[in-house]
Amino acid sequence: PETLDDSVECFPCEEGKYRTEDSDECKSCDIGEYWSGDQCKSAKSGHAAILTTSYFVYPLAGDSLPSEFSTGCSGDCFCRNTDQCTDGWRMHSSYIDSGMSTNREVDMYLDLTLDLVNQGSITFTYEVTGPSSNGLEFYINDKQYSAPYHPSSSLKSEKTVSFNVDSGNTIFRWNYHQEPETSGSISLSSIIIEGVGSAVGESKCPAGTYSEGNGNSVCELCPAGTSNSEEGSTGCAICDENSYSPIDGSTECILCGDGTFANEDRTDCISDCIFTLQDTTYDLSGLQTTHGPFPLDDESGIWMNICEKRTSRSFCLDPYGESISTYMCEVDLRGNGIDIGNHLSVDLTKVDDDKDAVRLSYSVEGDDENNCSSTVTIVCSPDAPYTNPYLLDNPTDCNIHLRWDSTHGCPVCNEEIDYEIQDSECEDGVRTINTVRISNCDGPAILTSTTESCPTRYSVSIAVIIVVAVVILLLCVVIVAVVIYNRRLSNQYTALVRDSEGQYEMKDMDEDTTVAEDV
């Protein structure tokens, strides 16, 4: 009898998987390996066997969503006529859409749950129909990401976006929001997730990433402070002394602006707010605080920190609610911010009557679509230390210019050149000696102030008084001595006279006695 061929042709394996002769199960190569067509091969250094899972890239059979997906609706979701509404996203062969909810306020959500082996990314293409009030809200693990809500003002638009994703269990959510009395939908296609699935080949690591050794399944991002510009790199180079890279995955380092210098980690450029320009020093640290808002219109304003980046938890927040570290930020009434100046350069410019002024120029680095350019000019005004900056011309969102008249815009004073000693007139025996500023410079008007004694028209110095007193005392002593001496001489004279008179009396008596005897 004729032998029947009972073999059955198996369905083909997904790209990146293979089937052995002794099994009908599709298998994946080990992590770090890829299927070359006849065997699993290990990825070379500078390359990676990147794990990839994709949906709606190629037509899919059936009308049911893959098991990793779930969908639902919130809002006015009750539907009597299925021809006019649905309660979730709908499956098509090569795309999926948010269904139909005519003239009702709804939120149609689609969830995809995956466990990523490595840090990876998600890329997808979507198209929005209907008015601009309706659009997409995209979340990763309940954190909203900045996919354009309605990519353009036209009734129909298409957009492809990509976001980095951490490893581990991850829930991606696409939510279509529709306002009442409107209609529209979103179609979603070409969902590609890297970090999970099978390696479909060996990929050369793109610039800004690297892999060391063989058998890697992911290209690591160059950490902030480093970069590489070559594909297939096995490492990253630390930024040069006066350059920096602020984010992971940088393809090049950014040169610091004039007047600033790279920090130790090469992740940013900083300054101490003291700048030496054309051999002259300017100290702007006295102006370093948060200033604003300077209104642009009824709904937004500018906040500014002139020479040191600062953050706030209440305003200047990115779409994810994280604070933006910058010099200049445009903020709306809800505190949402747009970075309009994260890079600083300082130089001198001429203002008024050809007078030097310090100009701080701000630009945005790391965002190719942001061409904002703003300036703050600090003008020397020695007697105006507490003024505020003010807007010039007609400011726009990305073209802000301010002027600030301040004593801090003057050169720092030099004690030997910019000061002189001045003495006051003598008053009440005291004179003030001041070291006084004589130039338009940034420093105290009076550097030092001392006092000293001085003679007046009607006063005699203590030394003179002492000399006079000593002389008078000496005169008194001399007079007393003369009086005593005269008295002594008088006494001696009196005694001498007395003695002399006694002798004359004795002589007369002797003569009388002699005459008597003779008789």
Side-chain angles (χ1 to χ4, degrees):
E2 184 178 354
T3 303
L4 297 177
D5 184 4
D6 58 356
S7 63
V8 178
E9 183 178 356
C10 296
F11 61 86
C13 292
E14 298 177 23
E15 188 177 10
K17 294 185 177 182
Y18 66 96
R19 182 185 290 111
T20 60
E21 294 180 356
D22 57 352
S23 173
D24 59 0
E25 180 183 357
C26 292
K27 299 180 179 180
S28 298
C29 296
D30 293 338
I31 294 177
E33 298 181 343
Y34 63 96
W35 181 248
S36 65
D38 57 357
Q39 63 178 331
C40 290
K41 288 186 177 181
S42 180
K44 301 187 295 292
S45 179
H47 297 68
I50 298 175
L51 303 178
T52 304
T53 295
S54 62
Y55 303 94
F56 312 114
V57 175
Y58 306 104
L60 298 177
D63 56 3
S64 298
L65 290 171
S67 60
E68 304 93 301
F69 288 89
S70 61
T71 185
C73 174
S74 64
D76 187 9
C77 300
F78 181 71
C79 183
R80 288 189 177 89
N81 186 348
T82 56
D83 292 336
Q84 296 181 356
C85 57
T86 57
D87 58 0
W89 289 59
R90 300 180 300 187
M91 173 73 177
H92 300 274
S93 63
S94 57
Y95 70 95
I96 182 173
D97 70 17
S98 59
M100 181 171 52
S101 300
T102 304
N103 296 328
R104 291 184 294 131
E105 183 178 12
V106 294
D107 284 277
M108 293 286 191
Y109 65 86
L110 173 71
D111 289 348
L112 169 61
T113 302
L114 295 172
D115 189 6
L116 272 69
V117 177
N118 298 318
Q119 183 181 24
S121 65
I122 181 171
T123 302
F124 58 89
T125 299
Y126 65 102
E127 185 177 84
V128 181
T129 61
S132 60
S133 60
N134 305 338
L136 173 69
E137 299 167 344
F138 179 65
Y139 301 84
I140 301 177
N141 289 336
D142 295 326
K143 179 179 180 180
Q144 186 172 3
Y145 282 67
S146 58
Y149 181 73
H150 198 291
S152 76
S153 59
S154 63
L155 293 179
K156 189 174 183 180
S157 55
E158 186 174 276
K159 183 74 173 178
T160 299
V161 294
S162 181
F163 304 97
N164 293 326
V165 188
D166 291 331
S167 61
N169 191 58
T170 306
I171 299 176
F172 304 97
R173 169 167 286 196
W174 294 265
N175 183 73
Y176 168 66
H177 176 75
Q178 179 173 287
E179 290 292 310
E181 303 302 322
T182 63
S183 298
S185 67
I186 292 179
S187 62
L188 185 64
S189 62
S190 298
I191 303 174
I192 301 173
I193 300 97
E194 293 185 354
V196 64
S198 303
V200 298
E202 180 186 50
S203 301
K204 183 180 291 187
C205 290
T209 68
Y210 71 99
S211 69
E212 294 180 310
N214 298 327
N216 289 288
S217 62
V218 62
C219 293
E220 301 287 349
L221 296 174
C222 290
T226 69
S227 70
N228 71 46
S229 58
E230 300 292 334
E231 294 182 347
S233 296
T234 58
C236 304
I238 298 175
C239 295
D240 293 336
E241 183 176 357
N242 203 38
S243 63
Y244 72 106
S245 62
I247 60 174
D248 295 343
S250 296
T251 59
E252 61 181 0
C253 295
I254 303 168
L255 187 65
C256 290
D258 293 339
T260 67
F261 53 92
N263 61 10
E264 184 177 355
D265 296 330
R266 305 289 195 271
T267 57
D268 202 357
C269 290
I270 58 177
S271 78
D272 55 7
C273 295
I274 300 176
F275 306 101
T276 299
L277 306 170
Q278 298 180 11
D279 299 325
T280 302
T281 301
Y282 300 84
D283 185 355
L284 305 185
S285 58
L287 303 178
Q288 177 50 39
T289 187
T290 302
H291 299 275
F294 303 100
L296 293 178
D297 50 44
D298 294 337
E299 296 185 354
S300 65
I302 299 298
W303 289 89
M304 174 184 67
N305 301 291
I306 63 166
C307 51
E308 179 182 333
K309 293 180 182 179
R310 291 189 178 177
T311 59
S312 171
R313 295 182 179 179
S314 58
F315 63 89
C316 195
L317 307 177
D318 66 15
Y320 314 132
E322 301 292 336
S323 59
I324 300 173
S325 178
T326 185
Y327 297 106
M328 301 191 76
C329 184
E330 181 183 350
V331 184
D332 64 19
L333 297 177
R334 293 169 293 179
N336 299 321
I338 300 175
D339 185 0
I340 62 170
N342 61 22
H343 188 266
L344 169 64
S345 183
V346 185
D347 64 354
L348 288 179
T349 188
K350 297 293 184 180
V351 297
D352 301 338
D353 298 327
D354 203 33
K355 181 170 62 175
D356 284 338
V358 181
R359 179 174 58 191
L360 299 99
S361 301
Y362 305 93
S363 59
V364 178
E365 295 289 348
D367 186 350
D368 295 336
E369 297 181 359
N370 191 329
N371 297 316
C372 295
S373 177
S374 302
T375 62
V376 177
T377 302
I378 315 294
V379 181
C380 176
S381 181
D383 300 321
Y386 304 114
T387 60
N388 291 316
Y390 55 91
L391 289 167
L392 299 174
D393 305 324
N394 296 316
T396 62
D397 287 354
C398 272
N399 190 18
I400 312 297
H401 301 284
L402 299 101
R403 172 169 171 154
W404 200 341
D405 297 318
S406 171
T407 183
H408 298 293
C410 303
V412 174
C413 292
N414 184 310
E415 183 176 353
E416 297 180 356
I417 300 174
D418 299 312
Y419 288 90
E420 71 175 12
I421 297 175
Q422 297 179 358
D423 299 345
S424 68
E425 294 183 358
C426 186
E427 295 183 4
D428 299 329
V430 177
R431 176 173 53 238
T432 302
I433 303 174
N434 293 324
T435 305
V436 180
R437 187 183 66 205
I438 58 174
S439 303
N440 288 337
C441 62
D442 183 12
I446 299 177
L447 184 63
T448 61
S449 181
T450 59
T451 59
E452 67 177 16
S453 300
C454 57
T456 63
R457 183 181 302 174
Y458 304 105
S459 64
V460 180
S461 68
I462 295 177
V464 173
I465 294 173
I466 293 174
V467 171
V468 171
V470 170
V471 170
I472 293 174
L473 180 61
L474 291 176
L475 288 175
C476 291
V477 171
V478 170
I479 292 170
V480 171
V482 169
V483 170
I484 295 173
Y485 181 71
N486 286 338
R487 228 177 242 182
R488 184 178 300 169
L489 290 176
S490 177
N491 290 339
Q492 290 177 352
Y493 175 76
T494 302
L496 181 61
V497 169
R498 187 180 302 119
D499 290 343
S500 298
E501 289 177 349
Q503 291 178 0
Y504 291 140
E505 290 176 357
M506 289 296 295
K507 183 176 180 181
D508 289 340
M509 288 178 63
D510 290 342
E511 288 180 352
D512 290 343
T513 302
T514 303
V515 169
E517 289 178 354
D518 289 339
V519 173

